[in-house]
């Protein structure tokens, strides 16, 4: 097989191809080199797949509609998270850090549960095959000694059928495998994109997660790869990107100095920051203390975004559902003068 280099994958499946326990043990025992990681990328079929379902018998989206973006921090509280999403009445959800078959989140298929509870169609893809139970906090909450699947990724949910979908793999360098970070993984940062229909035509909805253990310059490269791939996928069709861009997430980092924000504007996208200086909070898995950061954004092209806002990531009893706030935006329609 050819390794899935930074680029576009279009293999659509009903279910991800599982990786056996024996195969995961062999990957764990492999040399911690970039070459071994690239071989592993080629061998793990799930890292090139986009899972789409269930079939949704609904018409195109009518304007205006609400879109959400949220880093779910594994998806520790899927039911309460779904209820918080439902409170915003979303037509589109762009989520990252979504577990599937991880001991730290009770082996749940988080994407499937959210799709069911919100009544929305799903397109999701695997960012990482986790070879262990996660970081120190993840291991603390894990109730079992091993993962059923070990998948962790990004998700698009929509109140209209997914016409087609793709994944965009943004790096293959294997830093989480090669470097000793205490959380060995196969894979790398990526985006999942779904083509959705509105009453006025199609657009692409994209959920992404840029690298936290990187410099601003490296994130700018990842953003450029994503925009290049979307040019190839979408052409001049409108695009909505949402997710955790990790802006300013480095020592002495400042989101204002992130080149990716300049890049997206130069490439014809508007940036929407939900009007907040901080989009993170302490949580069960991230108890702090940690500095508040502005990590979460929407980027839009060819869409009229009337407003964006923060939705506190709290259950009714005050339980923090994630270490990121949910962000939301209102899509009024296609921008005037957009290419036909």
């Amino acid at each position: 097989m050819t390794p899935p280099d930074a680029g576009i994958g279009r293999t659509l499946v009903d279910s991800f191809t599982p990786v056996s326990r024996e195969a995961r043990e062999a990957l764990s025992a492999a040399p911690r080199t970039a070459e071994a990681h690239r071989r592993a990328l080629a061998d793990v079929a799930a890292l090139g797949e986009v899972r789409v379902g269930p079939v949704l018998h609904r018409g195109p989206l009518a304007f205006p509609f609400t879109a959400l973006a949220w880093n779910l921090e594994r998806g520790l509280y899927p039911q309460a998270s779904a209820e918080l999403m439902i409170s915003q009445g979303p037509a589109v959800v762009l989520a990252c850090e979504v577990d599937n078959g991880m001991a730290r989140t009770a082996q749940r298929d988080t994407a499937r549960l959210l799709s069911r509870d919100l009544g929305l169609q799903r397109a999701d893809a695997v960012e990482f095959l986790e070879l262990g139970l996660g970081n120190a906090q993840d291991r603390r909450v894990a109730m079992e000694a091993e993962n059923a699947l070990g998948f962790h990724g990004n998700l698009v949910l929509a109140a209209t059928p997914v016409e087609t979908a793709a994944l965009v793999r943004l790096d293959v360098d294997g830093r989480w495998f090669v470097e000793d970070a205490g959380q060995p993984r196969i894979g790398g940062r990526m985006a999942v994109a779904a083509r959705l229909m509105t009453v006025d035509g199609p657009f692409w909805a994209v959920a992404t997660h840029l690298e936290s253990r990187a410099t601003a310059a490296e994130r700018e490269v990842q953003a450029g790869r994503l925009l290049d791939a979307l040019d190839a996928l979408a052409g001049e069709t409108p695009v909505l990107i949402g997710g955790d861009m990790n802006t300013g997430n480095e020592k002495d980092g400042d989101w204002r100095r992130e080149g990716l924000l300049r890049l997206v504007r130069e490439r014809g996208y508007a940036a929407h920051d939900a009007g907040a200086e901080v989009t993170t909070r302490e949580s069960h898995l991230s108890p702090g203390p940690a500095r508040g950061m502005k990590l979460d954004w929407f980027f839009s092209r060819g869409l009229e975004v009337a407003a964006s806002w923060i939705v506190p990531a709290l259950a009714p009893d005050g339980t923090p559902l994630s270490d990121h706030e949910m962000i939301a935006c209102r899509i009024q329609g296609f921008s005037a003068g957009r290419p036909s």
Side-chain angles (χ1 to χ4, degrees), residues 93-104:
V93 175
L94 310 172
C96 59
E97 289 205 17
V98 179
D99 273 2
N100 180 0
M102 289 291 300
R104 65 193 177 195

Side-chain angles (χ1 to χ4, degrees), residues 204-278:
W204 284 82
V206 184
T208 195
H209 190 186
L210 302 188
E211 182 55 58
S212 57
R213 298 176 65 234
T215 65
E218 290 172 312
R219 284 189 290 273
E220 184 177 349
V221 170
Q222 290 188 336
R225 288 173 177 162
L226 175 57
L227 298 182
D228 288 346
L230 290 174
D231 283 349
L233 274 172
E236 296 183 332
T237 303
V239 176
L240 179 68
I241 305 169
D244 177 2
M245 309 302 171
N246 270 305
T247 41
N249 190 2
E250 59 185 295
K251 184 178 180 181
D252 301 322
D254 184 340
W255 65 268
R256 298 169 188 83
R257 299 198 299 266
E258 290 274 338
L260 72 89
L261 298 174
R262 170 193 49 79
L263 177 65
V264 296
R265 293 183 175 106
E266 289 176 352
R267 298 286 291 268
Y269 288 77
H272 312 279
D273 66 357
E277 283 297 311
V278 173

